[in-house]
Amino acid sequence: MPILNFENRLFALETTHISYIFGLSEKGFLANIYWGKKIPHVEDFLENPCPFSVVNLSEPQILKEEFSAFGTMHFKETALKVTFSDQVRDFRYRLSECQVENERLELILQDEFYPFRIHLFYEVFPEADLIRRWSSAENTGSEPIVIERFCSAQFGLPGTGYTSLNYNGRWGAEFLEQSDPVTVGKKVHESLYGLTAHTANPVFLVHKNATETTGDVYYGALSYSGNFKVTVEAVNAGFTNILIGMNDTDFSWRLNAGETFTTPVVYAGYSDGGFEKMTHTLHSFALEQLIPRELADKPLPVLYNSWYSTTFSVRCSEQIELARRAAAMGVELFVVDDGWFIGRNDDTAGLGDWYVDPEKFPNGMNELIDEVHRLGMKFGLWIEPEMVNPKSRLFSKHPEWVLSYPNREILMGRNQYELDMANPEVVDYLIQVLDELLSENAIDYIKWDMNRYLSEAGSPTREPRQWKELHFRSTEGVYRLAEELKKRHPKVELEACASGGGRVDYGALERFDEYWPSDNTDPLDRLFIQEAYSYFYPVKYMRAWLTDDFGMNQRKLPLAFSMHSSMCGALGIGIDLNRASDEKLQEIAGYIADYKKIRNTVQFGDLYRLSSLKNAPLQAVQYVLDGQSALFLFLDHERFGETWHTVKLRGLKENAVYEYELEGKILRKTGAYLMQFGLALHMKGDYDSRLIIFTEKEA
């Protein structure tokens, strides 16, 4: 049984390798007792389930609580803050009910006086070694109740001094890995941008001196694409308190009689084998159970995007010529980026009017689409559905559909305003117009962009007291649009892009088919971005492009290095085909052919971060699947004349024989040799790189 209940006082959640045990304290608080490697005999915890005691501190402060509320002698960060109709602002509960059904546990916490309940949900995935948690608030009375903070889940770990790993990024520099010791006070990772954004990520990862392959790692990922908040707190009672959920800044929710409010879910796990085991667990679970099912087992096609060839100057005849050149290289998906719709000749006009421009496509879009399909490729378009330009038909007709404050000028971001996605009429309109676009044109892929942050959380279509609900409702509106388009067009590939990697999270993962992790396509920068991204998110979801203009560093790199960097994800090409020589196109075609040989292994295989340029002279990343392994190696610059490097592989079968080519020779070595002794290779100069493919052979 994955869930054990001992007389409604002690609860154990069990996966194949993990135990998560919590119970009621002496005064009736739910507290975590143990989270870690599986303990088969849970009954060992029965006699003294919550042995906590700290001098001169009240029980709420000394417990690693499963759910805590503001007030009631809590002086640590809490999961809930609520205000009742008489302005009482604490929640005092008793555990009133427990329900176990298959792999799901529901605990109901009933307030001692007010008609208000909190439902705590736990769902166990035994084979995946993960737990899904979320919470729900219920008003069972007649008076409204205001929720001011409501986290999805709370976790407690013994002791302090953990390291919290998250990210410290910005546009073009997403997923810059950041580790901070939490020995005192709080470490907060959050977004206030109206979406996930680039600064941090809605995940937690805490550890003590863990490495890729050793150490205890506790982690969780929030399935939410709006303002989030992750707090890791070293409590003065000698433990670490972790909260994850929606951000409580500029948030409140009026819960009327009979209503409930449910938080986003969190996927949480524990690894006793360092970061690598965590990564394998999350990647496998996401691919097998979370991502949209229609395209889940299909590798992402090699993509070409015409933006760098034409920018806004889109013309049907020119796009057809580009498509023919792309097809000749082996491209499988041809994408027209910004500039295809009415009024769109630059970024000052047109957003919101999702209709094919008859001047650019006099015979309609299908003239181009038919030719793309005839060439054996799929066809895709760029859209930015949450935005509108002041110079657009939509804004002139519905200015009230824009988020705004009265008596304030609407701030401009990239010459555009943000539509009120909390307004059902706006979402209904977008569903209608985008459904028509997809129904009238044989479109296979949509690049969904989002280039402006939510700054004015006000709406002329809602009462001011509801404005603090807009952040959450806007995210729900985005989800409804994506889900409805997926329902009506399940085979259309949706890419989540938000000014680069601004919507990389598990909420998007459950509704989209891939991410655009960064507008920065510098191949060296991308190695760092892609490495840090890979801790939590699958390689299959990560688009990686070759472009001419890397957009950042004016760096000149060999084509091999650039292609190898992009081949570490779902390969895309974005070079200017109008300027590229035939020789370069033929060379790229060769790399595309090589990528297709290893694509399944890269996109679906186990990922091994063997070595990193963060702390070693060489970047080495390996993928393993079904008897094949692909090893990518990158040297940014030679150091002190050292040109020989040894890399030890992982994930191979010890007694199997693997064939590979190195320095023009075909070699055969056992998995034990490659993993224990390693692979010696010669790399020199600046920006050297290698792809080595290992194939399992009969001994």
Side-chain angles (χ1 to χ4, degrees):
M1 289 288 291
I3 299 175
L4 301 175
N5 179 1
F6 296 89
E7 299 180 350
N8 290 352
R9 294 199 63 81
L10 182 71
F11 305 92
L13 312 180
E14 295 186 331
T15 70
T16 304
H17 302 104
I18 297 170
S19 291
Y20 188 95
I21 301 170
F22 61 99
L24 287 176
S25 71
E26 184 178 319
K27 295 184 179 179
F29 292 98
L30 276 173
N32 184 272
I33 301 169
Y34 175 81
W35 183 15
K37 194 171 182 178
K38 190 170 183 176
I39 296 178
H41 300 286
V42 180
E43 59 272 14
D44 290 343
F45 291 93
L46 282 173
E47 292 187 8
N48 190 14
C50 290
F52 304 113
S53 177
V54 178
V55 174
N56 203 31
L57 290 178
S58 60
E59 187 174 73
Q61 186 69 5
I62 68 175
L63 295 178
K64 299 178 292 180
E65 289 182 87
E66 290 291 293
F67 189 85
S68 60
F70 175 83
T72 61
M73 301 298 284
H74 284 102
F75 305 105
K76 63 193 179 198
E77 192 83 3
T78 55
L80 175 73
K81 186 178 181 184
V82 62
T83 300
F84 297 103
S85 58
D86 59 2
Q87 301 306 302
V88 169
R89 299 185 308 285
D90 68 7
F91 172 60
R92 306 184 186 188
Y93 68 83
R94 56 180 174 80
L95 178 61
S96 65
E97 196 173 336
C98 305
Q99 299 177 9
V100 177
E101 183 177 350
N102 298 322
E103 285 84 29
R104 179 180 292 190
L105 168 66
E106 178 183 0
L107 304 179
I108 301 178
L109 311 182
Q110 174 67 55
D111 191 271
E112 295 176 350
F113 178 81
Y114 296 98
F116 179 68
R117 293 176 174 177
I118 292 294
H119 301 250
L120 302 183
F121 295 95
Y122 301 78
E123 187 172 0
V124 181
F125 297 88
E127 299 302 317
D129 278 331
L130 287 172
I131 299 168
R132 176 158 56 193
R133 289 187 58 182
W134 70 100
S135 305
S136 180
E138 179 185 9
N139 183 353
T140 59
S142 58
E143 296 294 324
I145 298 169
V146 176
I147 300 172
E148 299 176 49
R149 179 194 305 149
F150 196 13
C151 293
S152 297
Q154 183 169 0
F155 302 88
L157 300 178
T160 60
Y162 292 89
T163 294
S164 175
L165 187 154
N166 206 282
Y167 306 100
N168 179 27
R170 52 174 171 78
W171 176 83
E174 297 90 333
F175 294 98
L176 298 185
E177 180 185 328
Q178 183 69 41
S179 292
D180 297 289
V182 185
T183 56
V184 65
K186 305 172 187 176
K187 180 64 183 178
V188 176
H189 312 279
E190 64 180 346
S191 171
L192 297 172
Y193 293 89
L195 75 166
T196 314
H198 309 73
T199 305
N201 203 254
V203 298
F204 71 83
L205 187 166
V206 295
H207 67 95
K208 288 186 177 181
N209 302 314
T211 69
E212 273 294 310
T213 56
T214 65
D216 296 332
V217 178
Y218 302 88
Y219 58 91
L222 180 69
S223 180
Y224 185 58
S225 305
N227 287 353
F228 67 86
K229 185 176 182 180
V230 179
T231 303
V232 182
E233 178 183 17
V235 181
N236 58 355
F239 67 91
T240 298
N241 183 39
I242 302 171
L243 296 112
I244 183 169
M246 302 173 298
N247 204 311
D248 55 346
T249 298
D250 202 42
F251 169 83
S252 73
W253 192 275
R254 183 184 174 94
L255 200 62
N256 293 315
E259 292 182 344
T260 61
F261 179 88
T262 302
T263 70
V265 303
V266 176
Y267 299 96
Y270 159 80
S271 164
D272 63 351
F275 308 131
E276 182 175 281
K277 187 174 182 179
M278 174 196 78
T279 291
H280 290 174
T281 297
L282 286 172
H283 286 195
S284 297
F285 181 68
L287 291 173
E288 294 169 7
Q289 303 207 42
L290 297 185
I291 68 177
R293 291 296 90 194
E294 185 67 30
L295 303 176
D297 60 350
K298 299 176 177 61
L300 294 183
V302 177
L303 170 154
Y304 175 76
N305 185 296
S306 65
W307 172 254
Y308 286 99
S309 294
T310 60
T311 62
F312 293 105
S313 300
V314 175
R315 295 292 182 272
C316 183
S317 58
E318 294 177 4
Q319 295 295 318
I320 287 175
E321 287 303 313
L322 291 172
R324 290 169 179 166
R325 294 175 194 167
M329 290 192 298
V331 166
E332 300 161 316
L333 168 61
F334 181 84
V335 180
V336 178
D337 209 279
D338 200 350
W340 60 267
F341 47 97
I342 288 177
R344 192 66 164 178
N345 296 309
D346 54 37
D347 66 2
T348 66
L351 286 180
D353 301 335
W354 303 111
Y355 302 97
V356 177
D357 190 333
E359 293 184 6
K360 299 180 178 184
F361 296 91
N363 299 316
M365 181 72 76
N366 278 317
E367 179 183 3
L368 170 60
I369 296 174
D370 290 345
E371 178 63 11
V372 168
H373 287 164
R374 188 192 69 78
L375 291 166
M377 298 184 294
K378 295 181 178 181
F379 179 79
L381 280 181
W382 176 96
I383 62 173
E384 194 173 1
E386 299 152 74
M387 300 297 154
V388 65
N389 287 123
K391 295 178 183 179
S392 67
R393 298 176 184 179
L394 180 61
F395 183 74
S396 64
K397 186 177 180 180
H398 288 291
E400 78 281 4
W401 280 5
V402 170
L403 290 173
S404 62
Y405 290 135
N407 308 312
R408 297 289 190 197
E409 177 187 357
I410 306 175
L411 299 176
M412 189 76 76
R414 203 189 180 220
N415 298 306
Q416 60 198 47
Y417 300 150
E418 183 161 5
L419 289 172
D420 181 3
M421 297 298 290
N423 184 342
E425 290 185 25
V426 173
V427 178
D428 289 342
Y429 163 78
L430 291 171
I431 290 172
Q432 175 191 342
V433 71
L434 294 175
D435 178 50
E436 289 176 0
L437 176 68
L438 293 171
S439 298
E440 294 171 2
N441 302 278
I443 296 168
D444 305 293
Y445 159 100
I446 288 292
K447 183 181 180 72
W448 180 325
D449 210 341
M450 198 276 200
N451 287 294
R452 184 193 189 277
Y453 301 133
L454 197 163
S455 59
E456 293 97 348
S459 171
T461 64
R462 288 187 180 272
E463 296 180 23
R465 66 176 176 82
Q466 296 178 299
W467 288 355
K468 289 188 176 183
E469 300 175 1
L470 284 173
H471 284 288
F472 180 80
R473 291 190 184 275
S474 293
T475 302
E476 292 291 290
V478 171
Y479 286 166
R480 184 164 76 89
L481 176 58
E483 289 164 2
E484 188 61 29
L485 292 179
K486 262 295 180 186
K487 178 181 176 182
R488 299 186 187 192
H489 306 277
K491 294 185 179 181
V492 173
E493 191 179 317
L494 294 183
E495 178 177 295
C497 172
S499 188
R503 195 171 271 155
V504 177
D505 55 71
Y506 271 65
L509 184 143
E510 296 190 68
R511 295 164 176 88
F512 292 79
D513 300 293
E514 63 208 71
Y515 300 125
W516 177 236
S518 179
D519 285 342
N520 184 349
T521 56
D522 180 291
L524 182 59
D525 285 356
R526 267 302 187 110
L527 292 181
F528 294 94
I529 291 171
Q530 292 169 183
E531 177 186 348
Y533 161 99
S534 72
Y535 282 118
F536 284 90
Y537 298 102
V539 176
K540 179 183 187 290
Y541 253 63
M542 183 183 70
R543 276 290 175 190
W545 287 13
L546 169 77
T547 62
D548 297 314
D549 176 8
F550 303 143
M552 290 286 156
N553 304 315
Q554 309 302 313
R555 204 189 319 265
K556 302 298 181 184
L557 296 175
L559 180 60
F561 192 101
S562 301
M563 285 299 303
H564 287 152
S565 176
S566 298
M567 290 163 70
C568 288
L571 179 61
I573 307 295
I575 64 170
D576 184 352
L577 294 183
N578 293 319
R579 295 185 178 183
S581 67
D582 290 341
E583 292 77 14
K584 183 174 182 178
L585 297 184
Q586 289 175 6
E587 190 176 353
I588 293 172
Y591 286 111
I592 291 175
D594 288 341
Y595 177 74
K596 290 177 181 178
K597 296 174 186 176
I598 60 170
R599 171 169 44 191
N600 276 15
T601 298
V602 170
Q603 294 190 19
F604 294 101
D606 287 334
L607 167 70
Y608 295 88
R609 295 175 290 263
L610 304 181
S611 178
S612 174
L613 287 171
K614 294 181 302 184
N615 48 33
L618 204 68
Q619 182 100 355
V621 58
Q622 178 193 2
Y623 308 83
V624 179
L625 179 70
D626 296 336
Q628 185 185 72
S629 179
L631 173 65
F632 289 93
L633 302 135
F634 302 90
L635 178 74
D636 62 341
H637 65 275
E638 187 178 324
R639 295 163 172 83
F640 308 109
E642 296 176 0
T643 59
W644 283 97
H645 303 270
T646 301
V647 176
K648 295 181 179 180
L649 278 65
R650 295 202 286 271
L652 304 179
K653 299 176 184 176
E654 286 194 349
N655 296 318
V657 174
Y658 293 87
E659 184 176 281
Y660 59 99
E661 182 178 347
L662 185 63
E663 306 294 344
K665 297 180 180 179
I666 302 299
L667 302 173
R668 287 194 174 201
K669 301 292 182 182
T670 63
Y673 173 90
L674 293 170
M675 291 189 293
Q676 303 303 324
F677 179 78
L679 184 72
L681 25 91
H682 191 226
M683 299 184 72
K684 61 182 180 178
D686 293 337
Y687 307 120
D688 196 4
S689 64
R690 296 281 190 283
L691 164 60
I692 303 174
I693 302 173
F694 299 82
T695 304
E696 185 180 343
K697 299 290 184 179
E698 293 185 7

